[in-house]
Amino acid sequence: MDNLTPEQRRKNMQAIKSTETKEEVLLAKALWRLGYRYRKNSKKIFGKPDISFSKYKIAIFVDGEFFHGKDWENQKNRIKTNRDYWIPKIERNIQRDKKVTEYLLSNNWKVIRFWSKEVKKNLSSCLELIQQEISAIKNT
């Protein structure tokens, strides 16, 4: 059972953001400091990537571990409450992520997906990967 009251749970869930998460902002600010200019959550690009470089056709997504189902086969057993809601929801998110990635790849976009903890713990390696992709596209 849930250890919070319905009111506490409601406030907790309302505080969860879908855009401008701490990790997205951290990555975006680091890219900005390096001199890169980008769009955030551009509606013109299918899937509204968290960060995009239209000029280089690079879409970057920073996915939260819970909502995007990292290690889903093991983690779905950890959900104890409201399983009838969460399991289908997260599986739909996983399917949507695959569909977005396939669509962008078929339209010659480079798709980079990071887990939010990856950005938090290894920001420099994430930045390095993005810089490598940009320079590879520049040199072609």
Short mmCIF file of all heavy atoms in Angstrom, two decimals, residues 57-113:
data_model
loop_
_atom_site.label_atom_id
_atom_site.label_comp_id
_atom_site.label_asym_id
_atom_site.label_seq_id
_atom_site.Cartn_x
_atom_site.Cartn_y
_atom_site.Cartn_z
N LYS A 57 20.98 17.90 -37.55
CA LYS A 57 19.99 16.82 -37.44
C LYS A 57 20.36 15.86 -36.29
O LYS A 57 20.50 14.66 -36.49
CB LYS A 57 19.84 16.07 -38.76
CG LYS A 57 19.10 16.85 -39.82
CD LYS A 57 18.76 15.98 -41.00
CE LYS A 57 17.34 16.24 -41.40
NZ LYS A 57 16.83 15.34 -42.39
N ILE A 58 20.55 16.44 -35.13
CA ILE A 58 20.84 15.66 -33.93
C ILE A 58 19.72 15.93 -32.91
O ILE A 58 19.41 17.08 -32.61
CB ILE A 58 22.20 16.03 -33.32
CG1 ILE A 58 23.33 15.66 -34.29
CG2 ILE A 58 22.40 15.35 -31.97
CD1 ILE A 58 24.71 16.09 -33.83
N ALA A 59 19.12 14.85 -32.44
CA ALA A 59 18.08 14.94 -31.41
C ALA A 59 18.59 14.25 -30.15
O ALA A 59 19.06 13.13 -30.21
CB ALA A 59 16.80 14.27 -31.89
N ILE A 60 18.50 14.96 -29.04
CA ILE A 60 19.00 14.43 -27.77
C ILE A 60 17.83 14.31 -26.79
O ILE A 60 17.05 15.25 -26.61
CB ILE A 60 20.08 15.36 -27.18
CG1 ILE A 60 21.25 15.49 -28.16
CG2 ILE A 60 20.56 14.83 -25.83
CD1 ILE A 60 22.22 16.59 -27.82
N PHE A 61 17.72 13.13 -26.21
CA PHE A 61 16.68 12.88 -25.22
C PHE A 61 17.35 12.53 -23.89
O PHE A 61 18.31 11.77 -23.87
CB PHE A 61 15.80 11.70 -25.64
CG PHE A 61 15.00 11.96 -26.89
CD1 PHE A 61 15.52 11.67 -28.14
CD2 PHE A 61 13.73 12.50 -26.81
CE1 PHE A 61 14.80 11.91 -29.29
CE2 PHE A 61 12.99 12.74 -27.96
CZ PHE A 61 13.53 12.44 -29.20
N VAL A 62 16.85 13.11 -22.82
CA VAL A 62 17.30 12.75 -21.47
C VAL A 62 16.12 12.08 -20.80
O VAL A 62 15.14 12.72 -20.44
CB VAL A 62 17.75 14.00 -20.67
CG1 VAL A 62 18.20 13.60 -19.28
CG2 VAL A 62 18.87 14.73 -21.41
N ASP A 63 16.18 10.75 -20.71
CA ASP A 63 15.05 9.97 -20.22
C ASP A 63 15.20 9.64 -18.74
O ASP A 63 16.26 9.22 -18.29
CB ASP A 63 14.96 8.65 -21.00
CG ASP A 63 14.67 8.86 -22.47
OD1 ASP A 63 14.10 9.91 -22.81
OD2 ASP A 63 15.02 7.98 -23.27
N GLY A 64 14.12 9.81 -18.02
CA GLY A 64 14.08 9.42 -16.62
C GLY A 64 13.99 7.90 -16.51
O GLY A 64 13.27 7.27 -17.28
N GLU A 65 14.69 7.36 -15.56
CA GLU A 65 14.77 5.90 -15.43
C GLU A 65 13.41 5.27 -15.18
O GLU A 65 13.07 4.26 -15.79
CB GLU A 65 15.74 5.51 -14.30
CG GLU A 65 17.19 5.61 -14.67
CD GLU A 65 17.73 7.03 -14.65
OE1 GLU A 65 16.99 7.96 -14.27
OE2 GLU A 65 18.89 7.22 -15.03
N PHE A 66 12.61 5.84 -14.31
CA PHE A 66 11.33 5.22 -13.98
C PHE A 66 10.34 5.34 -15.13
O PHE A 66 9.79 4.34 -15.60
CB PHE A 66 10.75 5.87 -12.71
CG PHE A 66 9.40 5.31 -12.35
CD1 PHE A 66 9.30 4.06 -11.77
CD2 PHE A 66 8.24 6.02 -12.61
CE1 PHE A 66 8.06 3.52 -11.46
CE2 PHE A 66 6.99 5.49 -12.29
CZ PHE A 66 6.91 4.24 -11.72
N PHE A 67 10.13 6.55 -15.62
CA PHE A 67 9.08 6.77 -16.62
C PHE A 67 9.42 6.19 -17.99
O PHE A 67 8.53 5.96 -18.79
CB PHE A 67 8.77 8.26 -16.74
CG PHE A 67 8.04 8.78 -15.53
CD1 PHE A 67 8.71 9.49 -14.56
CD2 PHE A 67 6.70 8.52 -15.37
CE1 PHE A 67 8.05 9.94 -13.43
CE2 PHE A 67 6.03 8.99 -14.24
CZ PHE A 67 6.70 9.69 -13.27
N HIS A 68 10.69 5.98 -18.28
CA HIS A 68 11.07 5.43 -19.58
C HIS A 68 11.54 3.99 -19.48
O HIS A 68 11.99 3.42 -20.46
CB HIS A 68 12.12 6.31 -20.25
CG HIS A 68 11.55 7.65 -20.65
ND1 HIS A 68 11.01 7.88 -21.88
CD2 HIS A 68 11.41 8.79 -19.95
CE1 HIS A 68 10.57 9.12 -21.94
NE2 HIS A 68 10.79 9.70 -20.77
N GLY A 69 11.44 3.41 -18.30
CA GLY A 69 11.62 1.98 -18.13
C GLY A 69 13.04 1.46 -18.30
O GLY A 69 13.25 0.47 -18.98
N LYS A 70 13.99 2.08 -17.62
CA LYS A 70 15.35 1.53 -17.64
C LYS A 70 15.35 0.17 -16.95
O LYS A 70 14.78 0.04 -15.87
CB LYS A 70 16.33 2.48 -16.95
CG LYS A 70 17.75 1.97 -17.02
CD LYS A 70 18.71 2.92 -16.37
CE LYS A 70 20.12 2.37 -16.52
NZ LYS A 70 21.09 3.18 -15.84
N ASP A 71 15.99 -0.80 -17.56
CA ASP A 71 16.06 -2.16 -17.01
C ASP A 71 14.66 -2.66 -16.65
O ASP A 71 14.42 -3.17 -15.56
CB ASP A 71 17.00 -2.17 -15.79
CG ASP A 71 17.35 -3.57 -15.36
OD1 ASP A 71 17.24 -4.49 -16.20
OD2 ASP A 71 17.71 -3.75 -14.18
N TRP A 72 13.75 -2.49 -17.59
CA TRP A 72 12.33 -2.67 -17.32
C TRP A 72 11.97 -4.08 -16.83
O TRP A 72 11.16 -4.23 -15.92
CB TRP A 72 11.53 -2.32 -18.57
CG TRP A 72 10.06 -2.46 -18.39
CD1 TRP A 72 9.20 -3.21 -19.11
CD2 TRP A 72 9.24 -1.82 -17.38
NE1 TRP A 72 7.92 -3.09 -18.65
CE2 TRP A 72 7.92 -2.23 -17.58
CE3 TRP A 72 9.51 -0.94 -16.33
CZ2 TRP A 72 6.86 -1.82 -16.77
CZ3 TRP A 72 8.46 -0.53 -15.54
CH2 TRP A 72 7.16 -0.96 -15.76
N GLU A 73 12.54 -5.09 -17.42
CA GLU A 73 12.16 -6.46 -17.04
C GLU A 73 12.43 -6.72 -15.55
O GLU A 73 11.66 -7.42 -14.91
CB GLU A 73 12.89 -7.49 -17.90
CG GLU A 73 12.39 -7.49 -19.34
CD GLU A 73 10.87 -7.67 -19.45
OE1 GLU A 73 10.32 -8.53 -18.74
OE2 GLU A 73 10.25 -6.93 -20.23
N ASN A 74 13.48 -6.15 -15.01
CA ASN A 74 13.76 -6.32 -13.59
C ASN A 74 13.02 -5.30 -12.73
O ASN A 74 12.55 -5.63 -11.64
CB ASN A 74 15.26 -6.20 -13.32
CG ASN A 74 16.03 -7.33 -13.96
OD1 ASN A 74 15.54 -8.45 -14.02
ND2 ASN A 74 17.21 -7.05 -14.47
N GLN A 75 12.92 -4.08 -13.23
CA GLN A 75 12.34 -3.01 -12.42
C GLN A 75 10.83 -3.09 -12.30
O GLN A 75 10.25 -2.58 -11.33
CB GLN A 75 12.77 -1.65 -12.97
CG GLN A 75 14.25 -1.40 -12.85
CD GLN A 75 14.72 -1.41 -11.41
OE1 GLN A 75 14.06 -0.90 -10.52
NE2 GLN A 75 15.87 -2.02 -11.18
N LYS A 76 10.16 -3.69 -13.28
CA LYS A 76 8.70 -3.68 -13.19
C LYS A 76 8.19 -4.51 -12.02
O LYS A 76 7.10 -4.28 -11.54
CB LYS A 76 8.05 -4.09 -14.50
CG LYS A 76 8.05 -5.53 -14.84
CD LYS A 76 7.27 -5.69 -16.13
CE LYS A 76 7.42 -7.06 -16.70
NZ LYS A 76 6.75 -7.17 -17.99
N ASN A 77 8.99 -5.42 -11.54
CA ASN A 77 8.60 -6.19 -10.36
C ASN A 77 8.71 -5.39 -9.07
O ASN A 77 8.16 -5.78 -8.05
CB ASN A 77 9.44 -7.46 -10.26
CG ASN A 77 9.19 -8.36 -11.44
OD1 ASN A 77 8.08 -8.45 -11.94
ND2 ASN A 77 10.25 -9.01 -11.92
N ARG A 78 9.43 -4.27 -9.14
CA ARG A 78 9.58 -3.44 -7.95
C ARG A 78 8.39 -2.53 -7.71
O ARG A 78 8.24 -1.97 -6.64
CB ARG A 78 10.85 -2.59 -8.07
CG ARG A 78 12.12 -3.43 -8.00
CD ARG A 78 13.36 -2.59 -8.00
NE ARG A 78 13.35 -1.74 -6.81
CZ ARG A 78 14.00 -0.60 -6.72
NH1 ARG A 78 14.70 -0.18 -7.73
NH2 ARG A 78 13.94 0.13 -5.62
N ILE A 79 7.55 -2.35 -8.74
CA ILE A 79 6.38 -1.50 -8.56
C ILE A 79 5.37 -2.26 -7.70
O ILE A 79 4.91 -3.33 -8.08
CB ILE A 79 5.76 -1.13 -9.92
CG1 ILE A 79 6.76 -0.32 -10.74
CG2 ILE A 79 4.47 -0.34 -9.73
CD1 ILE A 79 6.33 -0.05 -12.16
N LYS A 80 5.06 -1.68 -6.57
CA LYS A 80 4.19 -2.37 -5.62
C LYS A 80 2.77 -1.81 -5.60
O LYS A 80 1.83 -2.52 -5.27
CB LYS A 80 4.78 -2.27 -4.20
CG LYS A 80 6.15 -2.87 -4.07
CD LYS A 80 6.15 -4.36 -4.30
CE LYS A 80 7.55 -4.92 -4.13
NZ LYS A 80 7.74 -6.16 -4.83
N THR A 81 2.63 -0.52 -5.90
CA THR A 81 1.29 0.07 -5.82
C THR A 81 0.84 0.50 -7.21
O THR A 81 1.65 0.86 -8.06
CB THR A 81 1.30 1.31 -4.90
OG1 THR A 81 2.23 2.25 -5.40
CG2 THR A 81 1.66 0.94 -3.48
N ASN A 82 -0.46 0.41 -7.41
CA ASN A 82 -1.10 0.88 -8.64
C ASN A 82 -0.47 0.25 -9.88
O ASN A 82 -0.25 0.93 -10.89
CB ASN A 82 -1.05 2.40 -8.70
CG ASN A 82 -2.25 2.97 -9.41
OD1 ASN A 82 -3.13 2.23 -9.84
ND2 ASN A 82 -2.28 4.28 -9.55
N ARG A 83 -0.18 -1.00 -9.82
CA ARG A 83 0.49 -1.72 -10.93
C ARG A 83 -0.35 -1.70 -12.20
O ARG A 83 0.21 -1.65 -13.30
CB ARG A 83 0.77 -3.16 -10.53
CG ARG A 83 1.84 -3.31 -9.47
CD ARG A 83 2.00 -4.76 -9.05
NE ARG A 83 2.35 -5.65 -10.15
CZ ARG A 83 3.60 -5.91 -10.54
NH1 ARG A 83 4.60 -5.37 -9.90
NH2 ARG A 83 3.82 -6.72 -11.54
N ASP A 84 -1.67 -1.73 -12.07
CA ASP A 84 -2.53 -1.73 -13.25
C ASP A 84 -2.40 -0.43 -14.04
O ASP A 84 -2.68 -0.39 -15.23
CB ASP A 84 -4.00 -1.92 -12.83
CG ASP A 84 -4.24 -3.30 -12.26
OD1 ASP A 84 -3.44 -4.21 -12.55
OD2 ASP A 84 -5.23 -3.46 -11.51
N TYR A 85 -1.99 0.62 -13.37
CA TYR A 85 -1.78 1.90 -14.05
C TYR A 85 -0.35 2.03 -14.57
O TYR A 85 -0.14 2.35 -15.74
CB TYR A 85 -2.10 3.05 -13.09
CG TYR A 85 -1.75 4.41 -13.66
CD1 TYR A 85 -2.55 5.00 -14.62
CD2 TYR A 85 -0.59 5.08 -13.26
CE1 TYR A 85 -2.23 6.23 -15.15
CE2 TYR A 85 -0.26 6.32 -13.79
CZ TYR A 85 -1.08 6.88 -14.73
OH TYR A 85 -0.76 8.09 -15.27
N TRP A 86 0.62 1.79 -13.70
CA TRP A 86 2.01 2.09 -14.04
C TRP A 86 2.61 1.17 -15.10
O TRP A 86 3.33 1.65 -15.98
CB TRP A 86 2.90 2.07 -12.79
CG TRP A 86 2.68 3.27 -11.94
CD1 TRP A 86 2.13 3.31 -10.69
CD2 TRP A 86 2.95 4.63 -12.28
NE1 TRP A 86 2.06 4.59 -10.23
CE2 TRP A 86 2.56 5.43 -11.19
CE3 TRP A 86 3.49 5.25 -13.39
CZ2 TRP A 86 2.70 6.81 -11.20
CZ3 TRP A 86 3.63 6.63 -13.41
CH2 TRP A 86 3.22 7.39 -12.32
N ILE A 87 2.35 -0.10 -15.02
CA ILE A 87 3.00 -1.02 -15.97
C ILE A 87 2.56 -0.74 -17.41
O ILE A 87 3.43 -0.55 -18.28
CB ILE A 87 2.78 -2.49 -15.54
CG1 ILE A 87 3.61 -2.74 -14.27
CG2 ILE A 87 3.17 -3.45 -16.65
CD1 ILE A 87 3.42 -4.10 -13.65
N PRO A 88 1.26 -0.61 -17.70
CA PRO A 88 0.90 -0.26 -19.09
C PRO A 88 1.42 1.12 -19.51
O PRO A 88 1.84 1.32 -20.65
CB PRO A 88 -0.63 -0.28 -19.10
CG PRO A 88 -1.02 -1.07 -17.93
CD PRO A 88 0.06 -0.91 -16.92
N LYS A 89 1.40 2.07 -18.56
CA LYS A 89 1.87 3.43 -18.90
C LYS A 89 3.34 3.41 -19.29
O LYS A 89 3.73 3.98 -20.31
CB LYS A 89 1.66 4.38 -17.72
CG LYS A 89 2.24 5.77 -17.99
CD LYS A 89 1.92 6.74 -16.94
CE LYS A 89 2.49 8.11 -17.22
NZ LYS A 89 2.35 8.62 -18.55
N ILE A 90 4.16 2.77 -18.50
CA ILE A 90 5.60 2.76 -18.79
C ILE A 90 5.88 1.95 -20.05
O ILE A 90 6.73 2.34 -20.87
CB ILE A 90 6.37 2.24 -17.56
CG1 ILE A 90 6.23 3.26 -16.43
CG2 ILE A 90 7.84 2.02 -17.89
CD1 ILE A 90 6.72 2.81 -15.10
N GLU A 91 5.14 0.87 -20.27
CA GLU A 91 5.33 0.10 -21.51
C GLU A 91 4.93 0.92 -22.74
O GLU A 91 5.57 0.82 -23.78
CB GLU A 91 4.58 -1.23 -21.42
CG GLU A 91 5.28 -2.17 -20.45
CD GLU A 91 4.57 -3.48 -20.22
OE1 GLU A 91 3.38 -3.61 -20.62
OE2 GLU A 91 5.20 -4.38 -19.63
N ARG A 92 3.89 1.75 -22.60
CA ARG A 92 3.53 2.66 -23.71
C ARG A 92 4.65 3.66 -23.95
O ARG A 92 4.98 3.98 -25.10
CB ARG A 92 2.23 3.41 -23.39
CG ARG A 92 0.97 2.65 -23.68
CD ARG A 92 -0.26 3.57 -23.67
NE ARG A 92 -0.32 4.50 -22.55
CZ ARG A 92 -0.91 4.24 -21.38
NH1 ARG A 92 -1.47 3.08 -21.16
NH2 ARG A 92 -0.94 5.16 -20.44
N ASN A 93 5.24 4.18 -22.87
CA ASN A 93 6.35 5.12 -23.02
C ASN A 93 7.53 4.47 -23.74
O ASN A 93 8.15 5.10 -24.61
CB ASN A 93 6.82 5.62 -21.65
CG ASN A 93 5.84 6.55 -21.00
OD1 ASN A 93 4.89 7.01 -21.63
ND2 ASN A 93 6.05 6.83 -19.72
N ILE A 94 7.83 3.22 -23.39
CA ILE A 94 8.94 2.51 -24.04
C ILE A 94 8.65 2.34 -25.53
O ILE A 94 9.52 2.60 -26.38
CB ILE A 94 9.17 1.15 -23.35
CG1 ILE A 94 9.70 1.36 -21.93
CG2 ILE A 94 10.13 0.29 -24.16
CD1 ILE A 94 9.71 0.10 -21.08
N GLN A 95 7.41 1.96 -25.86
CA GLN A 95 7.04 1.80 -27.27
C GLN A 95 7.11 3.13 -28.00
O GLN A 95 7.58 3.20 -29.14
CB GLN A 95 5.62 1.21 -27.38
CG GLN A 95 5.52 -0.22 -26.97
CD GLN A 95 6.44 -1.11 -27.80
OE1 GLN A 95 6.49 -0.98 -29.02
NE2 GLN A 95 7.19 -1.96 -27.14
N ARG A 96 6.63 4.20 -27.37
CA ARG A 96 6.67 5.52 -28.00
C ARG A 96 8.12 5.96 -28.23
O ARG A 96 8.44 6.50 -29.30
CB ARG A 96 5.94 6.55 -27.13
CG ARG A 96 5.80 7.90 -27.83
CD ARG A 96 5.23 8.98 -26.94
NE ARG A 96 6.13 9.21 -25.83
CZ ARG A 96 5.77 9.19 -24.55
NH1 ARG A 96 4.51 8.98 -24.21
NH2 ARG A 96 6.65 9.41 -23.60
N ASP A 97 9.00 5.70 -27.28
CA ASP A 97 10.41 6.05 -27.45
C ASP A 97 11.01 5.32 -28.65
O ASP A 97 11.76 5.91 -29.44
CB ASP A 97 11.22 5.71 -26.19
CG ASP A 97 10.88 6.62 -25.02
OD1 ASP A 97 10.26 7.68 -25.23
OD2 ASP A 97 11.23 6.25 -23.89
N LYS A 98 10.68 4.03 -28.79
CA LYS A 98 11.19 3.26 -29.93
C LYS A 98 10.66 3.81 -31.25
O LYS A 98 11.41 3.95 -32.22
CB LYS A 98 10.78 1.79 -29.80
CG LYS A 98 11.55 1.02 -28.77
CD LYS A 98 11.08 -0.41 -28.70
CE LYS A 98 11.80 -1.16 -27.59
NZ LYS A 98 11.25 -2.48 -27.37
N LYS A 99 9.37 4.15 -31.26
CA LYS A 99 8.74 4.69 -32.46
C LYS A 99 9.38 6.03 -32.86
O LYS A 99 9.69 6.26 -34.04
CB LYS A 99 7.24 4.87 -32.20
CG LYS A 99 6.42 5.20 -33.37
CD LYS A 99 4.95 5.21 -32.93
CE LYS A 99 4.06 5.80 -33.98
NZ LYS A 99 2.66 5.89 -33.53
N VAL A 100 9.60 6.89 -31.89
CA VAL A 100 10.23 8.20 -32.15
C VAL A 100 11.64 8.00 -32.69
O VAL A 100 12.02 8.62 -33.69
CB VAL A 100 10.23 9.07 -30.87
CG1 VAL A 100 11.15 10.27 -31.02
CG2 VAL A 100 8.83 9.52 -30.53
N THR A 101 12.39 7.12 -32.05
CA THR A 101 13.77 6.88 -32.50
C THR A 101 13.79 6.34 -33.93
O THR A 101 14.56 6.83 -34.77
CB THR A 101 14.46 5.88 -31.54
OG1 THR A 101 14.48 6.45 -30.24
CG2 THR A 101 15.89 5.61 -31.98
N GLU A 102 12.93 5.36 -34.22
CA GLU A 102 12.88 4.80 -35.58
C GLU A 102 12.50 5.86 -36.61
O GLU A 102 13.09 5.92 -37.69
CB GLU A 102 11.88 3.64 -35.63
CG GLU A 102 12.38 2.40 -34.93
CD GLU A 102 11.29 1.34 -34.78
OE1 GLU A 102 10.19 1.50 -35.35
OE2 GLU A 102 11.55 0.36 -34.06
N TYR A 103 11.52 6.68 -36.26
CA TYR A 103 11.08 7.72 -37.20
C TYR A 103 12.22 8.70 -37.49
O TYR A 103 12.49 9.03 -38.66
CB TYR A 103 9.87 8.47 -36.65
CG TYR A 103 9.42 9.58 -37.57
CD1 TYR A 103 8.57 9.31 -38.64
CD2 TYR A 103 9.87 10.88 -37.40
CE1 TYR A 103 8.18 10.31 -39.50
CE2 TYR A 103 9.49 11.90 -38.26
CZ TYR A 103 8.64 11.61 -39.31
OH TYR A 103 8.27 12.60 -40.17
N LEU A 104 12.87 9.16 -36.43
CA LEU A 104 13.95 10.14 -36.63
C LEU A 104 15.12 9.52 -37.40
O LEU A 104 15.68 10.16 -38.31
CB LEU A 104 14.42 10.70 -35.28
CG LEU A 104 13.42 11.59 -34.56
CD1 LEU A 104 13.92 11.94 -33.16
CD2 LEU A 104 13.14 12.86 -35.35
N LEU A 105 15.46 8.28 -37.08
CA LEU A 105 16.56 7.62 -37.80
C LEU A 105 16.21 7.45 -39.28
O LEU A 105 17.07 7.63 -40.15
CB LEU A 105 16.87 6.26 -37.18
CG LEU A 105 17.54 6.29 -35.80
CD1 LEU A 105 17.65 4.88 -35.23
CD2 LEU A 105 18.90 6.97 -35.86
N SER A 106 14.95 7.13 -39.56
CA SER A 106 14.55 6.96 -40.96
C SER A 106 14.56 8.28 -41.72
O SER A 106 14.57 8.29 -42.95
CB SER A 106 13.17 6.30 -41.05
OG SER A 106 12.19 7.19 -40.58
N ASN A 107 14.54 9.39 -40.99
CA ASN A 107 14.62 10.70 -41.62
C ASN A 107 16.01 11.32 -41.47
O ASN A 107 16.14 12.54 -41.44
CB ASN A 107 13.55 11.62 -41.04
CG ASN A 107 12.19 11.29 -41.58
OD1 ASN A 107 11.89 11.54 -42.74
ND2 ASN A 107 11.37 10.66 -40.75
N ASN A 108 17.00 10.47 -41.33
CA ASN A 108 18.42 10.87 -41.30
C ASN A 108 18.81 11.73 -40.12
O ASN A 108 19.71 12.56 -40.22
CB ASN A 108 18.80 11.56 -42.61
CG ASN A 108 18.59 10.67 -43.80
OD1 ASN A 108 18.87 9.47 -43.73
ND2 ASN A 108 18.07 11.22 -44.88
N TRP A 109 18.13 11.56 -39.00
CA TRP A 109 18.52 12.25 -37.78
C TRP A 109 19.43 11.33 -37.00
O TRP A 109 19.32 10.11 -37.07
CB TRP A 109 17.29 12.57 -36.92
CG TRP A 109 16.56 13.80 -37.39
CD1 TRP A 109 15.72 13.88 -38.45
CD2 TRP A 109 16.62 15.09 -36.81
NE1 TRP A 109 15.25 15.16 -38.57
CE2 TRP A 109 15.78 15.92 -37.57
CE3 TRP A 109 17.29 15.63 -35.72
CZ2 TRP A 109 15.60 17.27 -37.27
CZ3 TRP A 109 17.11 16.96 -35.42
CH2 TRP A 109 16.28 17.78 -36.20
N LYS A 110 20.32 11.92 -36.22
CA LYS A 110 21.12 11.18 -35.26
C LYS A 110 20.41 11.32 -33.91
O LYS A 110 20.14 12.44 -33.47
CB LYS A 110 22.54 11.76 -35.19
CG LYS A 110 23.41 11.14 -34.15
CD LYS A 110 23.76 9.73 -34.52
CE LYS A 110 24.56 9.08 -33.40
NZ LYS A 110 24.81 7.68 -33.66
N VAL A 111 20.07 10.20 -33.31
CA VAL A 111 19.34 10.22 -32.03
C VAL A 111 20.29 9.80 -30.92
O VAL A 111 20.93 8.75 -31.00
CB VAL A 111 18.12 9.28 -32.07
CG1 VAL A 111 17.41 9.28 -30.73
CG2 VAL A 111 17.17 9.69 -33.19
N ILE A 112 20.39 10.64 -29.92
CA ILE A 112 21.22 10.34 -28.74
C ILE A 112 20.29 10.31 -27.54
O ILE A 112 19.59 11.28 -27.27
CB ILE A 112 22.32 11.39 -28.54
CG1 ILE A 112 23.21 11.48 -29.78
CG2 ILE A 112 23.15 11.06 -27.31
CD1 ILE A 112 24.21 12.64 -29.73
N ARG A 113 20.31 9.19 -26.84
CA ARG A 113 19.48 9.06 -25.64
C ARG A 113 20.38 8.84 -24.43
O ARG A 113 21.26 8.01 -24.45
CB ARG A 113 18.51 7.88 -25.75
CG ARG A 113 17.37 8.14 -26.71
CD ARG A 113 16.30 7.07 -26.61
NE ARG A 113 15.18 7.40 -27.46
CZ ARG A 113 14.16 8.17 -27.08
NH1 ARG A 113 14.10 8.62 -25.85
NH2 ARG A 113 13.19 8.45 -27.93
#
